[in-house]
Amino acid sequence: MQRKTFLKAMAAASVLSVTTAVWAQNPIEVQFYYPVAVGGPITKTIDGYAAEFNKAYPQYKIVPIYAGTYQETIVKALTAHKSGKAPATSVLLSTDMFTLIDEDAIAPIDDFIKTEEDKAWLKGFYPAFMANSQTGGKTWGVPFQRSTVVMYYNKDAFKEAGLDPNKAPQNWAELKEAAHKLTKKDANGNVMQYGIQIPSTGFAYWMLQTFTTPNDVLLANEAGTQVTLDNPKVIEALEYWVNLAKEGVHPKGVVEWGTTPKDFMEKKAAIIVTTTGNLTNIKNNAKFDFGVAQIAGNIRKGSPTGGGNFYIFKNAPKEQQEAAFKFAQWITQPERAAHWSMDSGYVAVSPAAYNTPTLKKYGEDFPAALVARDQLPVSVAEFSTHENQRVTKTLNDAIQAALNGTKTPAQAMKDAQREADRILRSYR
């Protein structure tokens, strides 16, 4: 009897060995479009995850394709979809959800949920991140590299300006006062260090939300069919931003998204407002002591969430879709999400990740890593609508017109409201 059992075990092991060898020779190749939108060695980290997954699941071969910015990546992904060669999966902005649904490009994540374990995994993400991942009773994206917007501030500059280096500005009045004290000029009156810098290319609408959220106003409804750009509170929020530049404590005109962390590290700006996704880059490269704080409040505290979700493209072969789901599930497990947060600076996407010994210790040693997470209870969904690229461009252009001084904030927002209403008319 023992001999028969032994022979059966040997036969099973032999079959598994042969199957594994076949998988290794003929794995299912899965294209994974990934946007490179923030600084730091992110691509090496993603390559490492893909290699680790491929080793654990030799029947699959995840192939990361670095497709440029978020905007470039969605264009490439949708072009591939329309030509019948969609990638199995891509990390795209959570705000791209409505666009991807409108293009009939993605499969609901619910289609892949089979077991109780799957259900528990899907329920495990922070609710704030699911606001941009679900609509119409379905889940369309899986939170991955998610964020809130935070303030980074130079503690040395604060000390020099007579400000408390351990206390960031808590409200709009304190922020403006600090920005004035932190602005440094040379003998000829040229600004050497701005008190505050907020980027306005690429994600101007998102930065505007760092003022509209504290001013207790949302830019769009949950269904993505209506915007409120000409609301007096929205206009007031944009005026506050424009006035920082008028008063000389913020660079005039449009500020580049990509150069803002660099300007901070080169001491050209004492406070910057940007994604927590830049945290690890700044931590590794800033040559001075810096702090991280929640967005300054006004009527309330709060920030928009941000960042990217995994989406699964419905026209990819079924086995590739299954592999993409398995990869998304694997990479968002608590321990891996904890390491990803440390490697990238993004917020770990589940409370379970913050309960791992790894992230608990990291948070104790580097409390700045917990600021974005602690902001989640007062965070709102990132601005997203149907026809999202067109509506967002309309809003971005309006914000830039106000910052450039070609339109008043009130006129810029009224014009943007009119155009957005026109674009969204068919969805209401």
Side-chain angles (χ1 to χ4, degrees):
M1 188 68 184
Q2 283 182 335
R3 178 174 167 74
K4 279 185 179 178
T5 304
F6 174 74
L7 288 172
K8 278 184 181 177
M10 288 295 287
S14 176
V15 169
L16 182 61
S17 176
V18 170
T19 305
T20 302
V22 170
W23 281 341
Q25 288 173 1
N26 302 296
I28 296 165
E29 191 165 300
V30 180
Q31 288 192 342
F32 165 36
Y33 281 22
Y34 183 79
V36 180
V38 294
I42 294 288
T43 55
K44 288 181 184 173
T45 305
I46 292 294
D47 284 340
Y49 283 135
E52 194 183 335
F53 177 82
N54 294 341
K55 188 176 178 183
Y57 297 90
Q59 67 268 45
Y60 303 131
K61 184 182 179 185
I62 299 290
V63 181
I65 295 171
Y66 300 109
T69 63
Y70 276 119
Q71 289 87 347
E72 289 165 342
T73 304
I74 189 170
V75 169
K76 288 175 184 175
L78 285 176
T79 300
H81 162 71
K82 287 171 184 174
S83 68
K85 297 176 181 176
T89 187
S90 179
V91 169
L92 299 166
L93 287 172
S94 62
T95 54
D96 288 328
M97 177 178 67
F98 288 116
T99 297
L100 292 163
I101 293 168
D102 292 344
E103 293 287 347
D104 198 26
I106 54 174
I109 301 300
D110 315 79
D111 291 355
F112 303 92
I113 301 297
K114 304 287 195 303
T115 66
E116 290 303 315
E117 191 179 16
D118 292 342
K119 290 176 187 173
W121 165 75
L122 195 59
K123 283 180 181 173
F125 297 104
Y126 278 110
F129 291 146
M130 298 310 287
N132 281 110
S133 306
Q134 296 172 321
T135 190
K138 292 182 179 179
T139 301
W140 298 92
V142 175
F144 175 54
Q145 52 187 49
R146 298 302 301 272
S147 57
T148 61
V149 186
V150 293
M151 281 195 297
Y152 298 84
Y153 65 99
N154 182 331
K155 289 190 173 184
D156 293 348
F158 268 53
K159 285 179 197 167
E160 195 181 320
L163 296 166
D164 184 347
N166 297 312
K167 187 173 182 289
Q170 294 299 300
N171 55 54
W172 284 6
E174 288 181 11
L175 183 62
K176 186 171 280 192
E177 184 184 351
H180 276 276
K181 288 181 178 177
L182 291 161
T183 300
K184 289 165 67 174
K185 297 180 180 179
D186 64 15
N188 297 319
N190 300 311
V191 176
M192 307 296 289
Q193 174 183 277
Y194 282 102
I196 185 168
Q197 181 169 312
I198 303 162
S200 47
T201 61
F203 302 96
Y205 71 89
W206 199 36
M207 296 298 103
L208 178 62
Q209 281 190 278
T210 67
F211 294 112
T212 56
T213 306
N215 216 27
D216 201 25
V217 59
L218 296 174
L219 295 178
N221 66 349
E222 197 175 311
T225 58
Q226 180 69 48
V227 297
T228 54
L229 309 183
D230 60 353
N231 183 297
K233 286 184 177 180
V234 174
I235 294 167
E236 182 187 15
L238 182 55
E239 282 172 345
Y240 180 89
W241 187 0
V242 168
N243 286 337
L244 291 173
K246 281 185 178 175
E247 292 172 26
V249 299
H250 181 289
K252 282 189 166 54
V254 171
V255 174
E256 289 294 327
W257 174 266
T259 60
T260 295
K262 187 167 173 280
D263 288 344
F264 179 68
M265 291 185 279
E266 291 177 357
K267 301 182 181 179
K268 292 176 183 175
I271 298 172
I272 61 168
V273 175
T274 187
T275 173
T276 185
N278 276 313
L279 178 59
T280 301
N281 181 31
I282 291 172
K283 176 177 179 277
N284 292 341
N285 295 294
K287 306 297 184 196
F288 51 84
D289 194 14
F290 70 93
V292 179
Q294 294 187 26
I295 295 300
N298 190 37
I299 297 171
R300 53 162 285 189
K301 293 283 279 183
S303 160
T305 59
N309 283 348
F310 270 100
Y311 296 99
I312 296 174
F313 281 76
K314 68 185 299 183
N315 289 347
K318 208 70 184 166
E319 65 271 18
Q320 289 187 19
Q321 291 181 27
E322 292 289 349
F325 173 73
K326 179 73 76 177
F327 181 57
Q329 200 172 37
W330 176 88
I331 206 169
T332 53
Q333 291 302 315
E335 191 66 37
R336 219 159 276 115
H339 280 284
W340 170 243
S341 179
M342 293 187 295
D343 288 341
S344 66
Y346 285 104
V347 183
V349 288
S350 66
Y354 283 98
N355 285 329
T356 60
T358 306
L359 208 46
K360 274 184 176 176
K361 184 174 189 315
Y362 187 66
E364 287 166 9
D365 296 343
F366 185 46
L370 303 179
V371 172
R373 179 205 66 178
D374 293 343
Q375 195 168 234
L376 284 176
V378 290
S379 292
V380 301
E382 184 177 357
F383 178 72
S384 178
T385 67
H386 289 278
E387 299 283 352
N388 196 56
Q389 279 66 34
R390 292 172 67 197
V391 175
T392 297
K393 184 179 186 305
T394 296
L395 179 52
N396 284 346
D397 289 350
I399 294 165
Q400 291 179 357
L403 290 167
N404 280 327
T406 57
K407 289 183 182 180
T408 64
Q411 191 60 55
M413 289 298 100
K414 283 174 184 171
D415 290 349
Q417 179 72 42
R418 193 180 308 113
E419 177 61 12
D421 282 344
R422 188 187 66 77
I423 295 168
L424 292 170
R425 190 174 298 130
S426 64
Y427 295 94
R428 289 202 294 278

